[in-house]
Amino acid sequence: MPSDRHSASQRFCSVEGLRAGDPLAGTGTHAVSNLLISWPRPKWSRSLRLAHDMGEELTQRLERIAASGRRVNMIDQRGRSACSHRIYLLPEGRYFDVERSELADFLAAVESGSDLANWSGEPMSEALLLCCTHGKKDKCCAKFGYAAYRELAATVKNRRLPFDVWESSHLGGCRFSASVMIFPTMRKYGRVAPEHVLPLLEHEVEGVPYLPCYRGNSRLSQPQQCAEIAALEWLSERNVTASLSVEVESMSGNDEASVRVNWTAANTSGTLIVECGVIEVMRVDTCADFDEGPTPSRCWVANDIRSLIG
C-alpha cells in the first residue's frame, strides 16, 4: 500500500474503510439532546461546534452547553444571513430565529434552563435532515459530503418533499462519508452517494429505513442497531413490511449479545432472535490517520437470526 505523502493525499478514509469491510450497521450512535446553530460554513473551524469568528464569550458558552450533555453542531444553508441564526433544540422539536445581537442572551437562557418565550420559537413541521460537509474536519466530508448534500437539497426542492435540508459540521464517523442524520426519527446513514438520495428520501417519507446506507437508530445500543437492521433485512427478503419493537439485549460477556425483535405486519406478527458479536477490523478513523496506518477496532455485527414459532 502506498505510504508516501503524495499517495496519502489521494486516499480517502471512506474508500479505504469500505475496502477493509468496516460495517455500517451498529454505528448510528448520536446524542438525543442537541443544539444546532446556523453559522456560515466558510467560518467553521475544525471543531464541530465552534467557528473562527465566534468570539471568546460565545465559544465558552457553547463549550459549557456541550459539557452539560447537549450536543452542539453548526449547520448552514446557502444564502442565509450571517447575522441571523436558526437554532434547533432537540428533542424539544422547536426552532428559533435569533439575531446575532440577541444570541448571547438566548444561549444563556438555554444554558440555565430558563424560559425561552422571549424568542417566540416554533415547532418543527418537517423532518430535519443534516448532511456532514465539514471539510475542515475531514476531506471525505468535503468531497463526498458536499456531493450528497447538493443532491439532497435539489431533490427535496424539485420533488417538494417534506424535509428541511442543511449542511452540518461533524456528525461522527468521517470514514462513512457522506453521513446523514435525520430528526426526529434519529436515523443515521452513511456512505450516501448521489444515487442513493432519491430512494433514501422516498423510504423516509414512508417511515421506513433505507437499508443500503442505514447505520442505525441512535436511540438503540450498538447490538440493538445491528439486530434491528438484521431483522429488517430478514423481513425484506420475505417481502414483509412491518413495524419493529427491539428489546434490550441480553449480554454474554463483552463480545456477545442476544437481541429479541418483535415485528407486526398487516395480518401477521412474529419474533426474531438475533445473535450479535464483536469482530475486529483494521481501519483508519479519519483521513488524518493515514500517516499512522490502520489500527484494530471492535465492531458489532449480527451473526445469526432465527424466528420463534408459537
Side-chain angles (χ1 to χ4, degrees), residues 48-281:
L48 79 163
R49 55 182 168 267
L50 303 178
H52 292 299
D53 60 340
M54 278 184 171
E56 184 175 356
E57 181 181 355
L58 181 57
T59 293
Q60 292 178 354
R61 180 83 65 186
L62 290 173
E63 293 285 20
R64 289 198 299 269
I65 290 173
S68 73
R70 192 185 286 268
R71 182 185 176 103
V72 179
N73 270 87
M74 295 177 291
I75 57 176
D76 191 26
Q77 285 177 335
R78 297 303 168 91
R80 292 193 64 89
S81 169
C83 295
S84 180
H85 304 278
R86 171 66 58 88
I87 299 177
Y88 291 92
L89 293 180
L90 299 150
E92 294 88 342
R94 297 185 66 79
Y95 71 89
F96 303 79
D97 288 316
V98 181
E99 296 301 313
R100 179 74 62 92
S101 59
E102 299 179 359
L103 188 56
D105 290 340
F106 178 86
L107 292 175
V110 171
E111 183 183 10
S112 64
S114 302
D115 189 355
L116 301 176
N118 289 341
W119 290 276
S120 62
E122 297 289 340
M124 289 169 48
S125 59
E126 296 180 319
L128 184 63
L129 191 154
L130 307 184
C131 182
C132 179
T133 61
H134 199 172
K136 290 179 181 176
K137 176 70 175 177
D138 192 280
K139 65 182 181 181
C140 281
C141 301
K143 180 178 177 64
F144 304 112
Y146 189 62
Y149 167 76
R150 288 181 62 186
E151 189 69 19
L152 285 161
T155 303
V156 166
K157 180 180 179 180
N158 294 338
R159 293 177 178 265
R160 299 181 180 179
L161 298 176
F163 299 96
D164 191 11
V165 183
W166 293 78
E167 296 184 68
S168 172
S169 61
H170 180 62
L171 293 175
C174 300
R175 67 191 186 278
F176 297 127
S177 184
S179 292
V180 169
M181 185 72 200
I182 301 181
F183 298 99
T185 63
M186 299 299 294
R187 286 197 277 263
K188 203 168 199 177
Y189 291 96
R191 298 180 181 140
V192 179
E195 61 266 26
H196 295 130
V197 164
L198 181 57
L200 188 157
L201 293 172
E202 290 175 335
H203 277 71
E204 281 293 325
V205 166
E206 297 297 324
V208 180
Y210 178 61
L211 292 177
C213 298
Y214 190 35
R215 295 173 61 180
N217 189 308
S218 297
R219 295 188 179 95
L220 302 177
S221 69
Q222 289 178 295
Q224 286 177 308
Q225 291 175 28
C226 292
E228 181 202 29
I229 292 171
L232 288 169
E233 292 173 340
W234 188 92
L235 290 163
S236 177
E237 290 169 359
R238 291 156 179 80
N239 295 315
V240 176
T241 300
S243 59
L244 304 187
S245 173
V246 183
E247 297 188 6
V248 176
E249 68 268 24
S250 174
M251 297 293 297
S252 300
N254 295 322
D255 296 338
E256 295 181 347
S258 180
V259 184
R260 184 185 183 102
V261 182
N262 303 308
W263 61 270
T264 303
N267 300 310
T268 185
S269 62
T271 297
L272 300 169
I273 303 298
V274 185
E275 302 297 340
C276 300
V278 172
I279 63 171
E280 188 174 273
V281 175

